[in-house]
Amino acid sequence: MCMNKLPLAKRTQILAMLCEGSSMRSISRVVDVSINTVTKLLEQAGEACLALHDETARNVQASRIQCDEIWSFCHAKEKNVATAKAAPEGAGDMWTWTAIDADTKLIVSYHVGSRSGEDAMILMDDLRARLANRVQLTTDGHKAYLEAVEGAFGADVDYAQLVKLYGPTVTAPGRYSPAECTGIKKIRREGNPDIAHVSTSYVERQNLTMRMSMRRFTRLTNAFSKKFDNHVHALSLYFVFYNFCRIHKTLRMSPAMAAGITDRLWSLEDVIARIDADTPPPAKRGPYKKRESAG
C-alpha cells in the first residue's frame, strides 16, 4: 500500500503502536499493512520529529538538569561485530545520551553515539544551546562529562557529579546479576551546586521508561535494532511523543506544556501533519505514449 494512499487513522495507529512498544512486524500484522509500509512511516516520522524537537526545544527555562547514558546495540553487540554476518555500518554498541529537566521532566537534549568524550561534548554543546539561563547540572561519574561540561558551559554552570560506589554481588551470582550499590559520593565540579539537589534519579527513571516504551531497548530478546538510522528514528519519535503528546502522570500535563514551550497537548496527527508538510508532492507524470510495434 502506498504511503500517500494510507488512511490517516491507520498512520496514526501505526505511530501510536510504535510509541507504545509494539514491534514493527506485530504492527504490520495488526494494522494489515506490509512491513515496508511501517518502516517507511517510521523513517518519515523520525525525520519530522528530529526537526520538531530541534525547532521547539529552544530557550528552555530550567533550574536543574540531569544527564545520563543508556546502552543498546545495533545488529550485534560490540564484541561480536567482527564475526557477525554482513554487519552494516553503525553495528555494535550504541549509547543514547539524555538531558532531562528535573522539574518539568522535559527531555531538553539527546544524542545517539558511542560513550566517548566526543559524544559527551556533542550532548553538552547542544544542551547549552537550548537553555535560556544558568542551571544546576548533575551527571554520573563518567569522566567524559568533565571536559565536555567545561567546554560547553565554562564557569556558567553549577555542576556536580553523583558517583556510585559498587561492591560485590550480594544476591546469587549469575550472568546478569548487577553489582551491589554500596554508597554514593556527591562531588562539586563547578560553581556552587546545591548538594541537596545533586541527583540523577529522574533521568535514570527516564531510562526505565525508554526501555519499557521501545521494543528495541528490551534486553535478552531479538527485538534489537538492525539499522542505526531506524534506531535514531525510533528515538526521535519517542522523544516528541513523550515531550508533547503524552500527559505526565505527576504533572497532569505534557512536559512541554510544563516547560512553557507549547500551550496545548499535541497529538500524533501533528506529527503526521509535519510529515505531509515535509514530503514533496509526487512528480507529475507525462502523457502516455503508445509504444510502436517493431514487427
Side-chain angles (χ1 to χ4, degrees), residues 53-55 57-60 108-109 126-132:
H53 178 86
D54 186 56
E55 294 167 6
R58 296 285 179 182
N59 297 316
V60 176
V108 182
S109 180
D126 185 70
L127 173 62
R128 179 67 186 91
R130 297 183 185 280
L131 294 173

Side-chain angles (χ1 to χ4, degrees), residues 29-289:
R29 292 191 295 269
V30 171
V31 185
D32 192 25
V33 295
S34 73
I35 185 66
N36 293 336
T37 298
V38 178
T39 302
K40 182 64 175 179
L41 184 57
L42 173 63
E43 292 172 354
Q44 293 179 334
E47 293 297 327
C49 289
L50 281 169
L52 284 170
H53 178 86
D54 186 56
E55 294 167 6
T56 55
R58 296 285 179 182
N59 297 316
V60 176
Q61 294 279 349
S63 298
R64 297 174 291 141
I65 298 291
Q66 299 178 8
C67 298
D68 199 14
E69 329 84 60
I70 180 173
W71 172 85
S72 58
F73 67 94
C74 173
H75 189 78
K77 295 179 181 177
E78 194 69 36
K79 64 180 180 179
N80 299 326
V81 171
T83 57
K85 182 178 180 180
E89 184 179 356
D93 292 351
M94 294 186 297
W95 293 83
T96 303
W97 303 68
T98 53
I100 191 172
D101 180 351
D103 296 310
T104 66
K105 311 305 183 289
L106 179 78
I107 299 294
V108 182
S109 180
Y110 65 94
H111 169 66
V112 183
S114 67
R115 205 164 179 251
S116 67
E118 180 181 357
D119 290 279
M121 182 63 76
I122 292 172
L123 176 77
M124 288 300 158
D125 284 344
D126 185 70
L127 173 62
R128 179 67 186 91
R130 297 183 185 280
L131 294 173
N133 58 288
R134 183 184 179 115
V135 298
Q136 174 164 329
L137 177 66
T138 305
T139 71
D140 60 22
H142 186 29
K143 293 181 180 179
Y145 283 117
L146 296 174
E147 185 177 350
V149 173
E150 175 67 24
F153 290 90
D156 191 25
V157 68
D158 299 309
Y159 173 45
Q161 283 188 307
L162 184 80
V163 180
K164 293 184 178 180
L165 308 175
Y166 292 97
T169 303
V170 175
T171 56
R175 185 177 178 186
Y176 300 104
S177 298
E180 195 76 15
C181 182
T182 58
I184 59 171
K185 290 196 301 183
K186 298 180 179 182
I187 305 173
R188 286 188 176 93
R189 295 298 189 187
E190 187 68 52
N192 187 31
D194 184 351
I195 293 299
H197 291 294
V198 174
S199 170
T200 55
S201 297
Y202 290 119
V203 71
E204 289 176 0
R205 180 59 181 81
Q206 172 56 217
N207 287 348
L208 174 60
T209 303
M210 291 171 63
R211 288 209 183 276
M212 297 295 291
S213 301
M214 282 179 282
R215 197 76 177 93
R216 298 165 186 274
F217 282 80
T218 307
R219 295 179 183 271
L220 306 181
T221 71
N222 62 354
F224 54 86
S225 293
K226 312 306 185 294
K227 294 180 180 179
F228 177 82
D229 288 347
N230 286 348
H231 188 83
V232 176
H233 290 146
L235 279 163
S236 63
L237 171 62
Y238 164 78
F239 284 128
V240 165
F241 177 74
Y242 169 83
N243 278 340
F244 292 92
C245 304
R246 192 175 76 172
I247 294 178
H248 192 281
K249 185 177 180 180
T250 303
L251 300 173
R252 298 189 177 182
M253 63 180 70
S254 71
M257 294 172 68
I261 61 177
T262 184
D263 58 359
R264 66 180 180 88
L265 184 68
W266 289 19
S267 68
L268 289 171
E269 282 82 357
D270 292 299
V271 176
I272 293 174
R274 180 56 184 258
I275 293 173
D276 292 339
D278 291 347
T279 302
K284 293 183 178 180
R285 296 182 179 181
Y288 175 74
K289 293 183 180 180

